PDB file of all heavy atoms in Angstrom:
ATOM      1  N   GLY A  66      17.919  18.514 -21.676  1.00 97.00           N
ATOM      2  CA  GLY A  66      18.302  19.615 -22.561  1.00 97.00           C
ATOM      3  C   GLY A  66      17.190  20.610 -22.852  1.00 97.00           C
ATOM      4  O   GLY A  66      17.327  21.479 -23.704  1.00 97.00           O
ATOM      5  N   LYS A  67      16.069  20.505 -22.121  1.00 98.00           N
ATOM      6  CA  LYS A  67      14.938  21.412 -22.334  1.00 98.00           C
ATOM      7  C   LYS A  67      14.974  22.560 -21.319  1.00 98.00           C
ATOM      8  O   LYS A  67      15.164  22.313 -20.116  1.00 98.00           O
ATOM      9  CB  LYS A  67      13.609  20.654 -22.171  1.00 98.00           C
ATOM     10  CG  LYS A  67      13.430  19.521 -23.165  1.00 98.00           C
ATOM     11  CD  LYS A  67      13.172  20.086 -24.545  1.00 98.00           C
ATOM     12  CE  LYS A  67      12.836  18.992 -25.534  1.00 98.00           C
ATOM     13  NZ  LYS A  67      12.860  19.488 -26.918  1.00 98.00           N
ATOM     14  N   VAL A  68      14.747  23.774 -21.791  1.00 98.00           N
ATOM     15  CA  VAL A  68      14.744  24.943 -20.900  1.00 98.00           C
ATOM     16  C   VAL A  68      13.666  24.769 -19.827  1.00 98.00           C
ATOM     17  O   VAL A  68      12.518  24.442 -20.136  1.00 98.00           O
ATOM     18  CB  VAL A  68      14.464  26.233 -21.701  1.00 98.00           C
ATOM     19  CG1 VAL A  68      14.386  27.440 -20.773  1.00 98.00           C
ATOM     20  CG2 VAL A  68      15.534  26.439 -22.759  1.00 98.00           C
ATOM     21  N   GLY A  69      14.057  24.995 -18.559  1.00 98.00           N
ATOM     22  CA  GLY A  69      13.088  24.974 -17.458  1.00 98.00           C
ATOM     23  C   GLY A  69      12.887  23.617 -16.808  1.00 98.00           C
ATOM     24  O   GLY A  69      12.028  23.470 -15.952  1.00 98.00           O
ATOM     25  N   THR A  70      13.700  22.636 -17.182  1.00 98.00           N
ATOM     26  CA  THR A  70      13.556  21.333 -16.521  1.00 98.00           C
ATOM     27  C   THR A  70      14.684  21.071 -15.507  1.00 98.00           C
ATOM     28  O   THR A  70      14.735  20.008 -14.896  1.00 98.00           O
ATOM     29  CB  THR A  70      13.507  20.153 -17.526  1.00 98.00           C
ATOM     30  OG1 THR A  70      14.779  20.052 -18.189  1.00 98.00           O
ATOM     31  CG2 THR A  70      12.407  20.349 -18.556  1.00 98.00           C
ATOM     32  N   GLY A  71      15.585  22.042 -15.321  1.00 97.00           N
ATOM     33  CA  GLY A  71      16.635  21.923 -14.301  1.00 97.00           C
ATOM     34  C   GLY A  71      15.991  21.738 -12.934  1.00 97.00           C
ATOM     35  O   GLY A  71      14.901  22.256 -12.685  1.00 97.00           O
ATOM     36  N   GLU A  72      16.677  21.028 -12.037  1.00 94.00           N
ATOM     37  CA  GLU A  72      15.974  20.661 -10.798  1.00 94.00           C
ATOM     38  C   GLU A  72      16.023  21.711  -9.695  1.00 94.00           C
ATOM     39  O   GLU A  72      15.353  21.575  -8.688  1.00 94.00           O
ATOM     40  CB  GLU A  72      16.452  19.300 -10.293  1.00 94.00           C
ATOM     41  CG  GLU A  72      17.965  19.171 -10.176  1.00 94.00           C
ATOM     42  CD  GLU A  72      18.382  17.728  -9.910  1.00 94.00           C
ATOM     43  OE1 GLU A  72      17.712  16.806 -10.442  1.00 94.00           O
ATOM     44  OE2 GLU A  72      19.356  17.548  -9.169  1.00 94.00           O
ATOM     45  N   GLY A  73      16.798  22.785  -9.885  1.00 97.00           N
ATOM     46  CA  GLY A  73      16.897  23.804  -8.834  1.00 97.00           C
ATOM     47  C   GLY A  73      15.716  24.752  -8.811  1.00 97.00           C
ATOM     48  O   GLY A  73      14.714  24.555  -9.514  1.00 97.00           O
ATOM     49  N   ILE A  74      15.828  25.822  -8.004  1.00 98.00           N
ATOM     50  CA  ILE A  74      14.811  26.870  -7.934  1.00 98.00           C
ATOM     51  C   ILE A  74      14.672  27.516  -9.312  1.00 98.00           C
ATOM     52  O   ILE A  74      15.690  27.846  -9.932  1.00 98.00           O
ATOM     53  CB  ILE A  74      15.203  27.935  -6.884  1.00 98.00           C
ATOM     54  CG1 ILE A  74      15.068  27.352  -5.471  1.00 98.00           C
ATOM     55  CG2 ILE A  74      14.370  29.198  -7.029  1.00 98.00           C
ATOM     56  CD1 ILE A  74      15.552  28.273  -4.355  1.00 98.00           C
ATOM     57  N   SER A  75      13.438  27.694  -9.751  1.00 97.00           N
ATOM     58  CA  SER A  75      13.025  28.278 -11.042  1.00 97.00           C
ATOM     59  C   SER A  75      12.804  27.240 -12.132  1.00 97.00           C
ATOM     60  O   SER A  75      12.688  27.584 -13.298  1.00 97.00           O
ATOM     61  CB  SER A  75      13.923  29.420 -11.528  1.00 97.00           C
ATOM     62  OG  SER A  75      15.140  28.943 -12.042  1.00 97.00           O
ATOM     63  N   SER A  76      12.677  25.977 -11.732  1.00 98.00           N
ATOM     64  CA  SER A  76      12.175  24.949 -12.650  1.00 98.00           C
ATOM     65  C   SER A  76      10.772  25.347 -13.115  1.00 98.00           C
ATOM     66  O   SER A  76      10.029  25.992 -12.383  1.00 98.00           O
ATOM     67  CB  SER A  76      12.091  23.609 -11.914  1.00 98.00           C
ATOM     68  OG  SER A  76      11.194  22.740 -12.583  1.00 98.00           O
ATOM     69  N   TRP A  77      10.423  24.983 -14.326  1.00 98.00           N
ATOM     70  CA  TRP A  77       9.065  25.243 -14.840  1.00 98.00           C
ATOM     71  C   TRP A  77       8.201  23.987 -14.828  1.00 98.00           C
ATOM     72  O   TRP A  77       7.073  24.008 -15.307  1.00 98.00           O
ATOM     73  CB  TRP A  77       9.138  25.780 -16.269  1.00 98.00           C
ATOM     74  CG  TRP A  77       9.477  27.233 -16.375  1.00 98.00           C
ATOM     75  CD1 TRP A  77       9.318  28.192 -15.418  1.00 98.00           C
ATOM     76  CD2 TRP A  77       9.999  27.912 -17.537  1.00 98.00           C
ATOM     77  NE1 TRP A  77       9.707  29.412 -15.905  1.00 98.00           N
ATOM     78  CE2 TRP A  77      10.132  29.274 -17.205  1.00 98.00           C
ATOM     79  CE3 TRP A  77      10.357  27.492 -18.821  1.00 98.00           C
ATOM     80  CZ2 TRP A  77      10.613  30.224 -18.115  1.00 98.00           C
ATOM     81  CZ3 TRP A  77      10.836  28.438 -19.719  1.00 98.00           C
ATOM     82  CH2 TRP A  77      10.962  29.791 -19.362  1.00 98.00           C
ATOM     83  N   ILE A  78       8.710  22.887 -14.319  1.00 98.00           N
ATOM     84  CA  ILE A  78       7.876  21.680 -14.302  1.00 98.00           C
ATOM     85  C   ILE A  78       6.799  21.854 -13.230  1.00 98.00           C
ATOM     86  O   ILE A  78       7.094  22.127 -12.068  1.00 98.00           O
ATOM     87  CB  ILE A  78       8.736  20.423 -14.059  1.00 98.00           C
ATOM     88  CG1 ILE A  78       9.607  20.179 -15.288  1.00 98.00           C
ATOM     89  CG2 ILE A  78       7.848  19.223 -13.770  1.00 98.00           C
ATOM     90  CD1 ILE A  78      10.510  18.984 -15.204  1.00 98.00           C
ATOM     91  N   GLY A  79       5.556  21.743 -13.639  1.00 97.00           N
ATOM     92  CA  GLY A  79       4.430  21.924 -12.712  1.00 97.00           C
ATOM     93  C   GLY A  79       3.993  23.370 -12.571  1.00 97.00           C
ATOM     94  O   GLY A  79       2.997  23.653 -11.903  1.00 97.00           O
ATOM     95  N   THR A  80       4.702  24.308 -13.186  1.00 98.00           N
ATOM     96  CA  THR A  80       4.348  25.731 -13.036  1.00 98.00           C
ATOM     97  C   THR A  80       2.943  26.031 -13.562  1.00 98.00           C
ATOM     98  O   THR A  80       2.141  26.658 -12.869  1.00 98.00           O
ATOM     99  CB  THR A  80       5.392  26.618 -13.750  1.00 98.00           C
ATOM    100  OG1 THR A  80       6.636  26.541 -13.036  1.00 98.00           O
ATOM    101  CG2 THR A  80       4.954  28.073 -13.814  1.00 98.00           C
ATOM    102  N   ALA A  81       2.646  25.565 -14.772  1.00 98.00           N
ATOM    103  CA  ALA A  81       1.340  25.909 -15.376  1.00 98.00           C
ATOM    104  C   ALA A  81       0.183  25.406 -14.522  1.00 98.00           C
ATOM    105  O   ALA A  81      -0.888  26.022 -14.491  1.00 98.00           O
ATOM    106  CB  ALA A  81       1.254  25.340 -16.789  1.00 98.00           C
ATOM    107  N   ALA A  82       0.399  24.290 -13.797  1.00 98.00           N
ATOM    108  CA  ALA A  82      -0.675  23.696 -12.998  1.00 98.00           C
ATOM    109  C   ALA A  82      -1.003  24.527 -11.759  1.00 98.00           C
ATOM    110  O   ALA A  82      -1.988  24.257 -11.072  1.00 98.00           O
ATOM    111  CB  ALA A  82      -0.288  22.273 -12.595  1.00 98.00           C
ATOM    112  N   THR A  83      -0.185  25.528 -11.434  1.00 97.00           N
ATOM    113  CA  THR A  83      -0.436  26.317 -10.219  1.00 97.00           C
ATOM    114  C   THR A  83      -1.076  27.682 -10.527  1.00 97.00           C
ATOM    115  O   THR A  83      -1.283  28.483  -9.618  1.00 97.00           O
ATOM    116  CB  THR A  83       0.854  26.551  -9.419  1.00 97.00           C
ATOM    117  OG1 THR A  83       1.776  27.246 -10.242  1.00 97.00           O
ATOM    118  CG2 THR A  83       1.457  25.271  -8.950  1.00 97.00           C
ATOM    119  N   PHE A  84      -1.351  27.936 -11.802  1.00 98.00           N
ATOM    120  CA  PHE A  84      -2.034  29.190 -12.172  1.00 98.00           C
ATOM    121  C   PHE A  84      -3.498  28.923 -12.494  1.00 98.00           C
ATOM    122  O   PHE A  84      -3.805  27.828 -12.939  1.00 98.00           O
ATOM    123  CB  PHE A  84      -1.332  29.827 -13.389  1.00 98.00           C
ATOM    124  CG  PHE A  84      -0.040  30.497 -13.010  1.00 98.00           C
ATOM    125  CD1 PHE A  84       1.134  29.768 -12.929  1.00 98.00           C
ATOM    126  CD2 PHE A  84      -0.016  31.846 -12.712  1.00 98.00           C
ATOM    127  CE1 PHE A  84       2.321  30.380 -12.559  1.00 98.00           C
ATOM    128  CE2 PHE A  84       1.172  32.467 -12.349  1.00 98.00           C
ATOM    129  CZ  PHE A  84       2.343  31.731 -12.275  1.00 98.00           C
ATOM    130  N   PRO A  85      -4.411  29.966 -12.287  1.00 98.00           N
ATOM    131  CA  PRO A  85      -4.186  31.296 -11.724  1.00 98.00           C
ATOM    132  C   PRO A  85      -3.623  31.229 -10.303  1.00 98.00           C
ATOM    133  O   PRO A  85      -3.988  30.347  -9.530  1.00 98.00           O
ATOM    134  CB  PRO A  85      -5.584  31.933 -11.703  1.00 98.00           C
ATOM    135  CG  PRO A  85      -6.359  31.175 -12.741  1.00 98.00           C
ATOM    136  CD  PRO A  85      -5.803  29.784 -12.717  1.00 98.00           C
ATOM    137  N   ALA A  86      -2.745  32.202  -9.982  1.00 98.00           N
ATOM    138  CA  ALA A  86      -2.073  32.210  -8.686  1.00 98.00           C
ATOM    139  C   ALA A  86      -1.999  33.628  -8.130  1.00 98.00           C
ATOM    140  O   ALA A  86      -1.946  34.599  -8.893  1.00 98.00           O
ATOM    141  CB  ALA A  86      -0.660  31.639  -8.834  1.00 98.00           C
ATOM    142  N   TRP A  87      -1.953  33.719  -6.820  1.00 97.00           N
ATOM    143  CA  TRP A  87      -1.869  35.024  -6.145  1.00 97.00           C
ATOM    144  C   TRP A  87      -0.473  35.612  -6.308  1.00 97.00           C
ATOM    145  O   TRP A  87       0.524  34.895  -6.184  1.00 97.00           O
ATOM    146  CB  TRP A  87      -2.190  34.862  -4.661  1.00 97.00           C
ATOM    147  CG  TRP A  87      -1.832  36.061  -3.827  1.00 97.00           C
ATOM    148  CD1 TRP A  87      -0.829  36.129  -2.901  1.00 97.00           C
ATOM    149  CD2 TRP A  87      -2.463  37.353  -3.842  1.00 97.00           C
ATOM    150  NE1 TRP A  87      -0.797  37.385  -2.341  1.00 97.00           N
ATOM    151  CE2 TRP A  87      -1.788  38.167  -2.901  1.00 97.00           C
ATOM    152  CE3 TRP A  87      -3.517  37.901  -4.574  1.00 97.00           C
ATOM    153  CZ2 TRP A  87      -2.142  39.491  -2.667  1.00 97.00           C
ATOM    154  CZ3 TRP A  87      -3.869  39.223  -4.332  1.00 97.00           C
ATOM    155  CH2 TRP A  87      -3.183  40.006  -3.385  1.00 97.00           C
ATOM    156  N   SER A  88      -0.396  36.902  -6.589  1.00 97.00           N
ATOM    157  CA  SER A  88       0.891  37.593  -6.616  1.00 97.00           C
ATOM    158  C   SER A  88       0.862  38.772  -5.659  1.00 97.00           C
ATOM    159  O   SER A  88       0.079  39.701  -5.825  1.00 97.00           O
ATOM    160  CB  SER A  88       1.201  38.082  -8.033  1.00 97.00           C
ATOM    161  OG  SER A  88       2.266  39.012  -7.973  1.00 97.00           O
ATOM    162  N   LYS A  89       1.760  38.709  -4.689  1.00 95.00           N
ATOM    163  CA  LYS A  89       1.857  39.799  -3.708  1.00 95.00           C
ATOM    164  C   LYS A  89       2.372  41.067  -4.395  1.00 95.00           C
ATOM    165  O   LYS A  89       1.962  42.173  -4.060  1.00 95.00           O
ATOM    166  CB  LYS A  89       2.847  39.348  -2.624  1.00 95.00           C
ATOM    167  CG  LYS A  89       2.750  40.123  -1.341  1.00 95.00           C
ATOM    168  CD  LYS A  89       3.676  39.474  -0.297  1.00 95.00           C
ATOM    169  CE  LYS A  89       4.235  40.508   0.641  1.00 95.00           C
ATOM    170  NZ  LYS A  89       5.357  39.988   1.438  1.00 95.00           N
ATOM    171  N   ARG A  90       3.271  40.897  -5.387  1.00 94.00           N
ATOM    172  CA  ARG A  90       3.868  42.049  -6.058  1.00 94.00           C
ATOM    173  C   ARG A  90       2.819  42.835  -6.842  1.00 94.00           C
ATOM    174  O   ARG A  90       2.792  44.056  -6.801  1.00 94.00           O
ATOM    175  CB  ARG A  90       4.988  41.572  -6.994  1.00 94.00           C
ATOM    176  CG  ARG A  90       5.760  42.696  -7.658  1.00 94.00           C
ATOM    177  CD  ARG A  90       7.003  42.179  -8.395  1.00 94.00           C
ATOM    178  NE  ARG A  90       6.662  41.410  -9.573  1.00 94.00           N
ATOM    179  CZ  ARG A  90       7.539  40.682 -10.278  1.00 94.00           C
ATOM    180  NH1 ARG A  90       8.804  40.619  -9.900  1.00 94.00           N
ATOM    181  NH2 ARG A  90       7.162  40.008 -11.344  1.00 94.00           N
TER     182      ARG A  90
END
Side-chain angles (χ1 to χ4, degrees):
K67 299 288 186 192
V68 177
T70 66
E72 51 190 35
I74 289 175
S75 76
S76 159
W77 281 338
I78 291 180
T80 291
T83 60
F84 284 85
W87 167 249
S88 166
K89 198 174 148 194
R90 185 171 70 190

